[in-house]
Amino acid sequence: MLLGLKVILFLALHLLPGMKSSMVNLNNNGYDGIVIAINPNVTEDEKLIQNIKEMVTEASVYLFHATKRRVYFRTVNILIPMTWKSKSEYLMPKQESYDQADVIVANPYLKYGDDPYTLQYGQCGEKGQYIHFTPNFLLSNNLPIYGSRGRVFVHEWAHLRWGVFDEYNEDRPFYISSKNTVEATRCSTRITGKNMVFQCQGGSCITKPCRRDSQTGLYKAKCTFIPEKSQTARESIMFMQSLDSVTEFCTAKTHNTEAPNLQNKMCNRRSTWDVIMASDDFQNASPMTGRNLPPLPTFSLLKAKQRVVCLVLDKSGSMNSEFRLLRMNQAAEVYLIQIIEKGSLVGMVTFESSATIQNNLIELTDENTYQNITANLPQVAGGGTSICSGLKAGFQVITQSGQSTSGSEIVLLTDGEDDKISSCFAEVKRSGAIIHTIALGPSAAKELEALSNMTGGHRFFAHKDINGLIDAFSRVSSRSGNITQQAIQLESKALNITGGKWIIGTVPVDSTVGDDTFFVVTWTIQKPEILLQDPKGKKYKTSDFREEKLNIRSARLQIPGIAETGTWTYSLHNNYENSQMLTVTVTTRARSPTTLPVIVNSHMSQNTAHYPSPMIVYARVSQGFLPVLGINVTAFIETEDGHQVILELRDNGAGADIVKNDGIYSRYFTHYHGNGRYSLKVHAQARKSTARLSLRQQNKALYIPGYIDNDKIILNPPRPEVKDDMAEAEVEDFSRLTSGGSFTVSGAPPPGDNTHVFPPSKITDLEAKFKEDHIQLSWTAPGNVLDEGKAKSYIIRISKHFLNRQEDFDNATLVNTSSLIPKGAGSIENFEFKQELSKIENGTKFYIAIRAINEANLVSEISNIAQATKLILPQEPSVPALGTKISGIRLAILGLAVILSVF
């Protein structure tokens, strides 16, 4: 059961914790509710909307044929940003928002490239995050490079909706096939073309023969596969949708299992069509009968509205315990003063057995309006718990202020049990409101999260310390896509300090942030002494921190202007004779509207898990749309009884992590500690200039350098070049904290039960090469339990035949690994052995695979298949055409210098 481990993931959208709440539904073969959102920073352009409509309309027909008459696009919502002018045809959005859109239209960061791509980091078959198109891609003529926009959209939709992967590989564009031919990495192999190196200068280019590397037998760098313009192959859309003949996905019959691409790596060499057919969409989607095409898509233009938020806060009797009322007020105050964006409309409701409207919607414009709302935070707790009463009063606050509940947000915080919560589910659905839920303590209503799930809101769980609540409130940020408006947490720390003791900490403030910066200290019994020093030595004392009049035991300092860049140092002295809990929270915003800050978004792979299903922790660290590499990312997972698990997340392309160095840090979570709610918090930190910014994107439409048309090479305009020293740019030291929301576990063993049920994770990066008569292997070590700990041993097998099945592996020759002692998970393993099977002649090829065994004798899945070829090239290497034998002669056309014009 566990050896064929498959993790079912439902992933979050960029900038949102928890499960992504896409509004797309498939009904009677048609996709409804697709959201395409335009970023607020995109210049208003009517042509952009028109081209989006044309792209989707074309894509619908292409998709219909590609899926053999199964699905098409029926209804699409285009979300217009608030920054654009209002028009009579623009409708009011419901729960549609930029942050939960399926497709976003936004400028590229650093103006690098217009490659369409899909943010995708789940396992095979799992939905992606979003598709990103740039305005330039949608407005320019990209037909020679990517093919039509409709075809590109279908390529990206397959990434997003069905979790398939690209069938090309820019890092390994060629491989040696089992037939001893040098092949371009593609699907299917029926797509024809030629391999060449071309050098362009000015307005002309020359081509040169591709030369082979003596170690690998493959072509050296800059050798490129140029496809024939005219093809007969109909597949595959995930390789080169730009070819006119390509109208299908690769099937089991046409799939190239040998190609070293991400589809084969992630999906165990299954074809894209097999993965698509296994998706939920296709379980009940039969082909449409008849010969007619589906109806054209219908489009609705929605214009984002002013943000409307109503706090619905529990003040029942149970809020008296464990300082809960105090902690709620402290966190709500941070939210109102530091987190929510200026210009938002905010109301407040408190509830126990009944609900009370504390204030209708107030526009946050200055300090007075903040004070008017915070003054209504409840000071006394008592009574029962009626969550539905609170929600209904929240709806009333919104409508009484002349706003629609549709698209408005409610932040619901409660610690109480309520068995009648389901009685208002129907009204909640009708309202169109987005409900974010915060469960405080272990007794909060068990159906609470259903409210978030049905409305596309966040879900959080907070245990005992104030930080869990502040972290939750901090993630309920703007959904408009304007990152520079959003509050960013730099510090969130709870400290239990003994009487009379000092504690010292540091917080780096990097140059991408510093506006609207707050340092907040809270306490449970007596105010501590506070000292704060900026990077230039300026000091702030306790008297500089403002203590609110509501007696909620918090003191706040807003740094004037822009906070100094560098390391800030804080010191807290517990003046009380006994221990007390002190907390430090630091929030800030982007330094300027044109500065994109580094942000961190985290979530679990599932909102609910049933043991023994493993889960994955994800954290994406980015600046704009570019990944940030080389930093320390730590996940803190806490249970209802306060038990905490700490995991160091990795971006090494092994274990739970799909792609190395893509800024997505991942790790399996298997440390179940009983049933109930768990919370996730992530800290990302860059120290000593180890962070760097990568300009590479994954899962994108393939850029086509040119075509061969009637034996003539026609090159496309060159793509923007990235110099080697710019491919990775340094990022200064920074610190970020974020909540990843909550998840619920059932069926878990009691705490302390350490029964091993998980095998080591699959090895996915096995590499092999010959060194004289020895074969050298390298791979990333898995763990004893998935990607944690240390495996007990390895099984390595070798064959002259491709190891395509489990039986192939079992029947292959066993390699002696008695001297191989496994290292800890994440370490690089190296192993060398001599193959004694037979005489190894020039051109001999071996296939090698590996499995790991743990202490419970559970065995990992078979690794990727590595290939080692014994190759001795002549001094003047031959240059075969695509698909010719390695020993073949060079292609005559490639021996010529051809002058080409670039248009």
Side-chain angles (χ1 to χ4, degrees), residues 187 233 261 298 326 367 464 601 606 691 900:
C187 194
N261 54 37
T298 59
L326 170 68
E367 187 171 334
K464 289 186 177 181
N601 306 287
Q606 298 163 252
L900 304 168

Side-chain angles (χ1 to χ4, degrees), residues 551-567:
N551 190 31
I552 58 176
R553 301 173 205 174
S554 70
R556 172 179 289 98
L557 171 66
Q558 182 176 16
I559 305 301
I562 302 295
E564 290 287 347
T565 299
T567 300

Side-chain angles (χ1 to χ4, degrees), residues 107-171:
N107 294 310
Y109 187 47
L110 298 183
K111 301 187 183 301
Y112 170 63
D114 291 300
D115 288 342
Y117 71 92
T118 301
L119 181 62
Q120 178 185 14
Y121 47 92
Q123 304 294 310
C124 179
E126 305 303 337
K127 291 181 175 62
Q129 310 299 285
Y130 59 75
I131 298 168
H132 178 198
F133 293 125
T134 68
N136 192 50
F137 170 81
L138 291 168
L139 294 171
S140 302
N141 175 21
N142 305 289
L143 189 63
I145 300 174
Y146 305 103
S148 67
R149 281 188 280 265
R151 285 172 169 250
V152 172
F153 188 35
V154 172
H155 176 100
E156 300 306 332
W157 184 261
H159 282 308
L160 179 77
R161 187 72 185 179
W162 305 315
V164 296
F165 296 87
D166 287 322
E167 292 166 336
Y168 63 87
N169 188 337
E170 291 183 326
D171 293 328

Side-chain angles (χ1 to χ4, degrees), residues 87-105:
K87 295 185 178 181
S88 57
E89 63 264 35
Y90 292 166
L91 305 175
M92 182 76 74
K94 296 178 181 177
Q95 293 171 343
E96 299 89 356
S97 70
Y98 179 91
D99 283 355
Q100 297 225 11
D102 305 287
V103 182
I104 60 173
V105 179

